[in-house]
Amino acid sequence: MSFSPVSAAHLADLLGRSGQGCALWNAEGLLLMATPAWCQWLDVPEDASPIGQPLQGLLPAQIWQVHGPRFTAAARGLHQEYDDIRPGDSGSQHHRRIQLTPGAADAQGRHEVLMQLSDIGREYARGEVIARQREQLQALHEQLRSNRQNAGELGRLRTLLDWRTAMLSEHNEMLQLLSHEIRQPLNNASAAMQATLKAIEDLHLADAAPAARALLRAEHVLQQVIGTLDNTLTAGTILAAGGKAGASSETDLPTLIKLVLHDIAADLRPRIDVQWLTTARTVQLHPALMRLTLRNLLNNALAYAPADTPVQLRISESDEPLALILEVVDQGPGISEELLPRLFEKGSRGNHSHGRPGAGLGLFIVRSVLQLHQGTVQALPHSPHGTIMRLVIPQGLAE
């Protein structure tokens, strides 16, 4: 793999604008691309010319001692994810999550590696706040238990319970804020990578194909991170906090479908065949949760079905009962009889999920969202092979 100096500088400039720390080196350990944020975090001198240099020789010895074993493992094809902490001003600390994604291997089995840095300072701060809240809740629990024997303390107990509810509400609001603060840079990085791919095509560079493939892999990683983040935060806030999703609203169905398709990695979208079997354009549902639900189902179908097969998204309706019907149809291996009873349980993953990222939250989120809509989800066999995930969302229900 090789980069021309023009294309490497152009890539670093475009990715650097997103504020993300990114770097790419080939199977021989030669740096092909690096953003300023990456150089700053790894103490690469500003006046250095890092492109084309060996990674080990470029990094300071103490930095290589910390990260070298991880880089070596990634070069052997092993995905790496770990947190790095650096001292800041006035005794503060800076936190970054490092992901090392192996790429193509050469004849000796050495892999190219894409490195990404994500600022997780707010996540660590959130953990400290949650730990304090847990201590407060534990103290509250002990106080409530000691006061249950005294009927005269009923008013005080109610006040304490209200305080607990307020703390949980504050916790959920902070998780929502965290969701926005983390997701927005990831979305910006994904948009920057798509813009970079377009720019590479416009430059008509003879050796741009390896860079384009690396960026596509990077976009897939970002989409996986965004999907996992959305699923985790949804499970931990809206669905776990008493089953409250907020009121559904009149939603423009074509707009919702466009947003869902935009959430899918750009190179996978052509595989999705949207089939409109209804004239309905406005429906009653919770748009954000339904968008996440459809994204989970489409990503599952695209991941497990053969790469050369289409995935259908069918949109229809029924009169008795009045309902919107959404179906995701794939030509994958199907769902085993053993897995089917626990398919929608939290943490459940199939026999074909080995080596695929995820925490088993996707279908749990799907079922929870349909329950909030008083609807149903079914996993049905598709002849001659594959699966139909059918969502039935009642319409015309009183709030």
Side-chain angles (χ1 to χ4, degrees):
M1 172 185 291
S2 64
F3 268 51
S4 71
V6 174
S7 63
H10 193 65
L11 287 173
D13 178 65
L14 285 172
L15 290 176
R17 294 178 189 177
S18 71
Q20 295 291 305
C22 299
L24 177 69
W25 56 88
N26 65 12
E28 298 175 354
L30 301 181
L31 191 65
L32 303 180
M33 180 193 71
T35 63
W38 182 88
C39 294
Q40 182 180 7
W41 185 259
L42 294 181
D43 291 343
V44 176
E46 294 182 0
D47 56 351
S49 299
I51 303 304
Q53 293 193 35
L55 195 62
Q56 184 172 0
L58 180 65
L59 301 181
Q62 66 274 20
I63 297 296
W64 181 261
Q65 185 177 5
V66 173
H67 300 280
R70 300 279 192 170
F71 294 171
T72 301
R76 294 199 304 267
L78 302 176
H79 180 87
Q80 303 289 304
E81 180 174 321
Y82 59 101
D83 294 349
D84 192 22
I85 304 174
R86 303 289 297 276
D89 300 331
S90 303
S92 64
Q93 291 183 325
H94 299 300
H95 304 81
R96 297 291 186 273
R97 179 153 295 148
I98 296 177
Q99 290 185 319
L100 301 175
T101 304
D106 62 10
Q108 286 76 40
R110 301 172 300 180
H111 293 255
E112 62 182 15
V113 178
L114 173 68
M115 177 174 175
Q116 297 170 270
L117 295 168
S118 300
D119 188 346
I120 55 171
R122 289 184 177 87
E123 181 177 333
Y124 274 80
R126 176 179 68 92
E128 295 175 357
V129 172
I130 292 175
R132 288 196 297 270
Q133 289 186 339
R134 285 175 177 169
E135 292 176 0
Q136 293 171 340
L137 289 175
Q138 182 63 30
L140 174 62
H141 177 74
E142 295 297 331
Q143 188 172 3
L144 289 175
R145 183 163 51 184
S146 65
N147 289 339
R148 285 193 186 101
Q149 298 176 355
N150 188 349
E153 294 290 330
L154 181 58
R156 185 180 177 187
L157 290 177
R158 287 175 176 169
T159 301
L160 292 174
L161 286 174
D162 289 342
W163 174 48
R164 176 183 181 275
T165 301
M167 283 195 301
L168 291 175
S169 177
E170 180 183 353
H171 175 206
N172 286 338
E173 289 175 3
M174 186 173 63
L175 284 178
Q176 292 291 350
L177 177 62
L178 175 68
S179 170
H180 174 77
E181 292 293 334
I182 294 180
R183 187 191 296 111
Q184 190 60 45
L186 293 173
N187 286 333
N188 291 343
S190 179
M193 289 181 179
Q194 293 185 32
T196 303
L197 283 170
K198 182 63 168 62
I200 290 175
E201 294 177 359
D202 294 340
L203 289 174
H204 303 293
L205 299 175
D207 59 348
R213 289 194 297 270
L215 284 171
L216 280 175
R217 286 192 294 272
E219 185 189 7
H220 279 224
V221 172
L222 282 174
Q223 292 294 343
Q224 291 165 2
V225 172
I226 292 171
T228 300
L229 173 67
D230 286 342
N231 282 333
T232 302
L233 289 172
T234 299
T237 55
I238 300 175
L239 300 179
K244 302 296 184 182
S248 60
S249 59
E250 292 289 329
T251 301
D252 183 77
L253 192 55
T255 300
L256 174 63
I257 299 303
K258 288 180 182 178
L259 290 173
V260 171
L261 295 178
H262 181 75
D263 291 342
I264 305 301
D267 61 321
L268 297 178
R269 290 175 203 157
R271 290 179 56 193
I272 301 176
D273 176 24
V274 181
Q275 298 183 358
W276 289 91
L277 307 178
T278 176
T279 58
R281 288 299 180 263
T282 302
V283 293
Q284 191 79 18
L285 48 75
H286 192 293
L289 292 182
M290 195 54 61
R291 177 178 176 180
L292 177 59
T293 295
L294 288 175
R295 182 209 303 171
N296 284 341
L297 292 178
L298 287 171
N299 277 331
N300 277 355
L302 291 167
Y304 292 105
D308 58 346
T309 61
V311 170
Q312 295 176 346
L313 173 57
R314 298 175 183 166
I315 305 163
S316 60
E317 61 181 338
S318 67
D319 293 329
E320 291 295 337
L322 184 61
L324 172 68
I325 300 175
L326 303 173
E327 294 178 317
V328 175
V329 185
D330 66 59
Q331 300 179 29
I335 300 171
S336 67
E337 293 294 331
E338 176 187 1
L339 175 62
L340 201 56
R342 54 185 176 86
L343 181 64
F344 297 98
E345 295 178 2
K346 186 186 298 184
S348 180
R349 306 193 71 197
N351 298 329
H352 303 281
S353 62
H354 301 298
R356 302 184 187 274
L361 287 175
L363 291 181
F364 167 75
I365 296 292
V366 170
R367 184 185 64 178
S368 300
V369 169
L370 266 294
Q371 288 175 343
L372 290 171
H373 286 82
Q374 301 181 47
T376 59
V377 55
Q378 291 178 286
L380 306 173
H382 177 235
S383 181
H385 47 75
T387 302
I388 302 174
M389 300 299 294
R390 176 174 294 165
L391 312 181
V392 179
I393 306 154
Q395 299 294 291
L397 297 178
E399 291 292 340

